Amino acid sequence: MSLIPKKGTVYVVDDDEAVRDTLQWLLEGKDYRVRCFESAEAFLSRYDAREVACLIADIRMGGMTGMELQDRLLERQSPLPVVFITGHGDVPMAVETMKKGALDFIQKPFKEDQLVALVERMLEKAKDAFATHQQAASRDALLSKLTGRESQVLERIVAGRLNKQIADDLGISIKTVEAHRANIMEKLGANTVADLLKIALGQTPAKA
C-alpha cells in the first residue's frame, strides 16, 4: 500500500521558513503530501515531472523569482498547475503570471479555506493535465520508433493519401509502401487503420 496520501502532492517553494512551515502544517493536516523548498533552484533540481502534483510558489524570492521559475517550467512544457503567493504590491506581477497560465494567486496573509480550495482545484486540474502529458509522451515514444521514411509514409496516411499516391509522392513502389505500412502498424501497436490514425493524432485507441 502506498504511503503517499491519495489527495496528491503539493510542492511549496518559498524562501521564508515560517511560510513553508505554516503551509506544510496546514496541508499535511488536510492529508496532502507536502514537499517544501527554500529556493526555485532547489525545487527544479528535485522536481519529478512524472508525479501528479501542484505548486505553490512565492512570487518574490532571493535568487530565481517565482516568475522566472514559471518561465523555466513553461520551457520544460511542464503540466504542473501553479498558484503564486503575493504581497499586496505584487498583484500586477501576479496578473502577469496568470496570463502565462498560472491558475491563480493568493495574497498574504492568506485564508486557510481559500488556500485549501485552490489546492483542491489545482490537483483536479493536475490529474487531467498529467494524463494528457503522459499520453503525449507515450505517443512521442511510439513515433520515435519509426524511421524517417516510415514517418513520411505515416504523414501521408494521416492526410488520406492512397498507397499509389504515397508511392508517387515518395518515388517508391506500391509494394514498398505496403511494407512500410505493415512496419508502422507493428511498431505503433495498431490493429486497424483507425487505431493508427488515433495514435498519430494523439488520441487513445479503444482497447480490444
Side-chain angles (χ1 to χ4, degrees), residues 36-47:
C36 293
F37 299 88
E38 63 182 12
S39 70
E41 292 87 346
F43 164 72
L44 285 171
S45 70
R46 300 286 298 279
Y47 166 51

Side-chain angles (χ1 to χ4, degrees), residues 10 37 48 55 78 85 95 97 111 154 171 175 181 203 206:
V10 182
F37 299 88
D48 184 354
L55 170 64
S78 166
I85 301 172
V95 171
T97 69
K111 296 178 182 176
L154 177 59
K175 281 191 179 297
R181 279 183 83 123
Q203 300 168 10

Side-chain angles (χ1 to χ4, degrees), residues 8-161:
T9 297
V10 182
Y11 291 111
V12 175
V13 181
D14 197 308
D15 57 2
D16 185 330
E17 185 177 3
V19 172
R20 295 197 305 273
D21 288 347
T22 299
L23 288 172
Q24 184 160 14
W25 177 82
L26 168 62
L27 293 170
E28 285 184 345
K30 301 291 185 182
D31 201 31
Y32 295 102
R33 180 182 184 223
V34 182
R35 297 182 65 192
C36 293
F37 299 88
E38 63 182 12
S39 70
E41 292 87 346
F43 164 72
L44 285 171
S45 70
R46 300 286 298 279
Y47 166 51
D48 184 354
R50 298 167 298 178
E51 190 169 28
V52 175
C54 63
L55 170 64
I56 299 173
D58 192 5
I59 208 161
R60 282 187 188 272
M61 293 183 282
M64 188 187 297
T65 66
M67 293 182 78
E68 289 168 339
L69 171 57
Q70 183 184 29
D71 288 340
R72 292 288 181 88
L73 290 170
L74 289 171
E75 285 168 15
R76 293 186 183 189
Q77 298 182 317
S78 166
L80 192 69
V82 183
V83 159
F84 285 99
I85 301 172
T86 70
H88 289 295
D90 298 332
V91 172
M93 281 195 294
V95 171
E96 191 62 33
T97 69
M98 290 186 70
K99 289 178 183 175
K100 292 182 179 179
L103 198 64
D104 210 333
F105 63 90
I106 48 175
Q107 286 186 281
K108 300 174 186 173
F110 43 80
K111 296 178 182 176
E112 178 178 324
D113 55 350
Q114 178 193 15
L115 178 69
V116 172
L118 264 178
V119 167
E120 201 67 49
R121 252 175 69 206
M122 281 201 292
L123 285 170
E124 280 303 312
K125 182 178 174 64
K127 286 172 190 170
D128 295 337
F130 277 78
T132 302
H133 186 68
Q134 285 182 318
Q135 187 176 314
S138 297
R139 171 182 174 268
D140 290 347
L142 282 174
L143 294 178
S144 71
K145 295 178 181 179
L146 303 182
T147 64
R149 180 64 89 191
E150 287 165 354
S151 296
Q152 290 175 330
V153 171
L154 177 59
E155 185 182 317
R156 285 160 176 78
I157 292 171
V158 172
R161 306 285 283 169

